[in-house]
Amino acid sequence: MRARWSAVFVLLLLAPLAPGRPAYGGGASHAVRLPELSAPASLTRDVDGIAHIAAANEHDLIFLQGWLHAGDRLFQMDITRRQASGTLAELLGQAALPGDVEARTIGLRRAAERSLPAQSPAGRKSLSAYADGVNAWVSRNRLPAQYAALGITRFAPWTPVDSLVIGKAIAFSLSFDLDTELTVIAQAYREAGAAGGFDGAALFSQDLFRTQPFSAASTVPDATASAFAAGPARGEAVPASSAIGLARDYQARVAAVPFLSRAADRDFALGSNEWAISGRHTATGKPILANDPHLSLDAPSTFYPVALRGGGFDVQGEGFAGVPYVILGQNRRIAWGATTNPMDVTDTYVEQLRPDPTSPSGLSTVYRGGLEHVLAIPQTYRVNLRTPGQPDAIATVPPGGAIPAATLIVPRRNNGPIVAADSAAGVALSVQYTGFSATRELDTFRQLDLSRDLRDFRAALNVFDVGSQNWAYVDVDGHIAYFTSAELPLREDLEAGAVRGAPPYLLRDGTGGNEWLPATRRYPGQALPYEILPPGEMPQVVDPPAGFFVNANNDPAGTTLDNDPLNQRRATGGIYYLNVGYDGFRAGRITERLRADIARHRKLTVADVKAQQADVTLLDAEFFTPYLVSALARARSSHTPALAALAADPRVTEAVGRLARWDRTTPTGIPQGYDASDVDGRLARPGAREIANSVAATIYAVWRGQFVGNVVDARLAPYGLPQPGGSEALKALRHLLETYDQRHGVGVSGVDFFAVPGISDPADRRDLLVLRSLAGALDLLAGPPFAAAFGGSTDQDDYRWGRLHRVTFDAVLGPPWTIPATGGPLPGLPGLPTDGGFGTVDVANHGVRADAAGEFTFGGGPVRRFVAQPARGVMRAESSLPGGTSEWLGSPYYQNLLPRWLTNETYPVRLDRADLARATASVTHYLPERRANA
């Protein structure tokens, strides 16, 4: 990365703007007495604000981690536990009450309470020590300013269940899915097809909601050159209309609750990247691991970095405030990362609901002709009235209307809830989810922190029960390994070799035939009382023949590459089913780059891998841009008037020329923009090449949305049909274009997506829509929708990507806790301009259909960027954080790491004592209570 001059005004913009409590002073050293400790301990803060805790035993170590988290992130911790527990309205007020109702219905707090006795004895002791540390800090310090803003003066003591419910919430956000949305869409398509004379089922599954990913990157097959054999495809059924109505209503409620809507998102707006490269492909002969998880970009940041030393721990990495241990990171011998594996561990059932005076709730469900009792769990909801001058004004909300007196539970569904019911029709929807069981994910992280080799690592994953992850592993002995983990339930019908009714990703019949099979054997660490896919059949590879593996939420086993996730077989004859769909963009680009480097016999370095993490190339543009160039070339010699007119439009000609010269990257192109080519948050004026690529990125991004609209959305509009998501629309367009020579744009459904009245030639119809979409994009860019960014300019040089593509760091209470606290470096355009775009490796997603200046912002992306490589028998690593460690305004560690994160720089992981000694900012010594005879 080349040297750049500093844009001082942007750094000032990022500086803290409000007074607060500075948590630590530079170079300070002082002592604090804590009677809860059994021996002296210390907390060293390095120059980046990362805390390094050293203690004599595990109790004191984890107690101080709780103390540390409370001191830096207490409000964030409280928000997270309350959101998952359904008590957020007691803090934020009435607006949070609908979310509380839905969270209580789902029941993660109940699952956390169920899980506490299942933790190992050591895990339970640490949870108690952590809670004691939180409460010890609260008892000695004033609450953060957010509480005063809400009129709250009291803090509910922290408990071990609070930490477990946060763990459950994290797993939930990464593994829970609802089958309601797809069911509603599938039924709408079927009904429209029956009325419109086309095959609505094929329109849904074969044309628009394809499970085949955009690229064929598949983790284990790419690493081992193996693949599943495909069998015959199958059809899909959907439930009765009464259930569809319930599904539609519940989906609307979910959409209004961010906690649920983010978990149920199918478009992979977030996710993660990881890859590992064996030593034979690196410059030092040692393997390299890269990992960047993608979650919400908030203030404070999602992850909290820490180093833990003592009681057998010598580990550093990232975790979550509210939860003990390091979740992702390294110790001296191993390093690990993770990405979400969207394994299907949730089923939503259509239940037949009947009055039953023998049931405690007065209701039962029908199963195989008999009645099974529905249980009722009483609920009491409270809200913070936020009355000025009346602190802690918490009122109980009487039941009625949208406030239920109880949550209804179906024991058969792993104690899952009824989420929607129509008593008059006798129909209900219940949810069965593996996370409702007593699970032990926090024990996994304790074991990972203590692991020394591959055997230890694999053993730790045995108790990772829910929140399925793809794990990347590297060690000082030179091994790289990939594992998927968590427990996948085996379905009754799939194990018998055929789908009964609707497949698992649509609503299923709850009266029998689609059950999770009761467990007849238990694997080590198994939590579910159901049969699970044997651990040996989970996607995994150790030291792969290809010398690398990649996972970026893409298909780990290749089961969806033929557009059918249900036509692979287990050795038992049952259907091998993992999930209905995966991301197909980021892994494709990473795999493409790695294969190119290996083919050139290039020996990769840590710097190379960091550059791969910073990749802002659009994979979809590599496919679609040649169609724009080809369309203009054909149009210039076309005898079709409409096509010839587009070829004669100088705006279109100029834009296609720009796209033809474009390298498919997405730099900001403005001096206020943060790009990976900048250094340590210092900005530079863009060069001519960067500006040209920036303009092309803008034109392409708006064209992409117009092309989706003209080809896909226009065919659905006459029927009022739901549109496919952005990723699904691009997959559909790719398939239509790849099969264009054979099918001329006509889908399997019989729908002609490239129909243009008056033009018979198929190639002309295609090219007309390609170029018409470009002309429409240029009209938009010069018009009112983009006036805030480009002022109505028709000069394409003005269309700089950084004026559209901006990141925002939201806070629960809004300004002044947001970053930036107000405005941004671009007047009238909130947020910070940054490079990247839809589906880039350096995640910075916006809506595919974005067609106005305010629709290209994003608020989710890498919450850490981590690269590790062994050196001289010890693991070395670098990391990155989008913010700082403290949530206190005015703290030097509120957002100190953000400028470097914005330009893809890292800070060193200082696990070595000598490294820490050279970079110490402050030290706090913690001493146990004096003895009486001292």
Side-chain angles (χ1 to χ4, degrees), residues 735-749:
H735 182 68
L736 288 168
L737 289 173
E738 286 181 327
T739 59
Y740 203 86
D741 288 345
Q742 296 79 40
R743 302 192 60 89
H744 299 160
V746 178
V748 177
S749 61

Side-chain angles (χ1 to χ4, degrees), residues 115 124 178 190 194 215 219 239 310 362 405 410 426-427 459 489 512 560 747 858 870 918:
S115 297
R124 288 197 299 274
L178 282 170
R190 285 176 179 270
S215 79
T219 306
V410 182
V427 178
T560 64
F858 67 101
R918 289 189 291 269

Side-chain angles (χ1 to χ4, degrees), residues 507-782:
L507 295 183
R508 309 212 82 191
D509 181 1
T511 64
N514 291 323
E515 298 302 301
W516 292 6
L517 291 169
T520 57
R521 63 160 297 177
R522 293 293 184 98
Y523 295 95
Q526 183 175 336
L528 286 186
Y530 305 100
E531 290 287 334
I532 63 173
L533 187 70
E537 294 185 48
M538 296 282 279
Q540 57 194 287
V541 64
V542 176
D543 295 328
F548 73 90
F549 64 80
V550 175
N551 187 275
N553 314 116
N554 56 306
D555 188 331
T559 60
T560 64
L561 301 187
D562 63 350
N563 198 49
D564 190 341
L566 289 163
N567 65 344
Q568 288 81 28
R569 297 284 173 171
R570 299 180 59 211
T572 62
I575 294 174
Y576 185 85
Y577 169 66
L578 298 176
N579 191 42
V580 65
Y582 300 87
D583 181 84
F585 293 88
R586 289 172 280 112
R589 175 61 183 167
I590 298 166
T591 303
E592 176 184 276
R593 288 194 64 169
L594 286 175
R595 282 176 168 164
D597 287 336
I598 290 171
R600 294 197 301 267
H601 304 288
R602 181 179 181 186
K603 298 297 184 179
L604 295 167
T605 66
V606 166
D608 293 328
V609 172
K610 289 167 62 177
Q612 291 167 353
Q613 285 183 319
D615 192 326
V616 290
T617 304
L618 297 177
L619 184 72
D620 64 297
E622 293 181 354
F623 176 80
F624 288 115
T625 302
Y627 283 92
L628 280 151
V629 176
S630 173
L632 180 62
R634 286 192 73 259
R636 282 173 167 158
S637 59
S638 175
H639 298 294
T640 300
L643 195 54
L646 286 166
D649 185 337
R651 303 174 309 148
V652 170
T653 301
E654 178 185 351
V656 172
R658 290 176 179 272
L659 293 171
R661 296 186 295 273
W662 179 38
D663 66 2
R664 304 352 178 212
T665 61
T666 53
T668 65
I670 57 175
Q672 305 94 329
Y674 288 89
D675 293 278
S677 56
D678 299 324
V679 176
D680 287 338
R682 297 187 300 273
L683 310 184
R685 288 195 180 280
R689 183 62 178 162
E690 181 179 328
I691 290 172
N693 287 329
S694 173
V695 171
T698 297
I699 293 170
Y700 175 81
V702 183
W703 168 84
R704 177 207 281 136
Q706 294 300 293
F707 191 50
V708 168
N710 287 332
V711 177
V712 174
D713 300 347
R715 303 297 169 259
L716 304 179
Y719 304 98
L721 287 172
Q723 298 171 347
S727 296
E728 288 158 331
L730 294 181
K731 290 191 296 181
L733 286 172
R734 176 169 189 154
H735 182 68
L736 288 168
L737 289 173
E738 286 181 327
T739 59
Y740 203 86
D741 288 345
Q742 296 79 40
R743 302 192 60 89
H744 299 160
V746 178
V748 177
S749 61
V751 172
D752 186 350
F753 289 92
F754 286 82
V756 179
I759 300 180
S760 59
D761 182 80
D764 282 356
R765 295 198 304 267
R766 177 197 60 205
D767 294 345
L768 181 72
L769 290 181
V770 167
L771 295 179
R772 181 179 288 171
S773 299
L774 181 58
L778 296 172
D779 290 341
L780 285 172
L781 288 165

Side-chain angles (χ1 to χ4, degrees), residues 62 65 304-308 313 315-320 323-330 336 444-446 448-449 864:
I62 302 304
Q65 189 179 15
Y304 187 98
V306 70
L308 303 174
F313 291 80
V315 62
Q316 183 169 343
E318 279 72 39
F320 299 99
V323 176
Y325 313 126
V326 166
I327 306 301
L328 300 175
Q330 64 158 100
W336 69 95
T444 296
F445 298 125
R446 180 178 181 275
L448 291 181
D449 290 358
R864 84 192 282 239

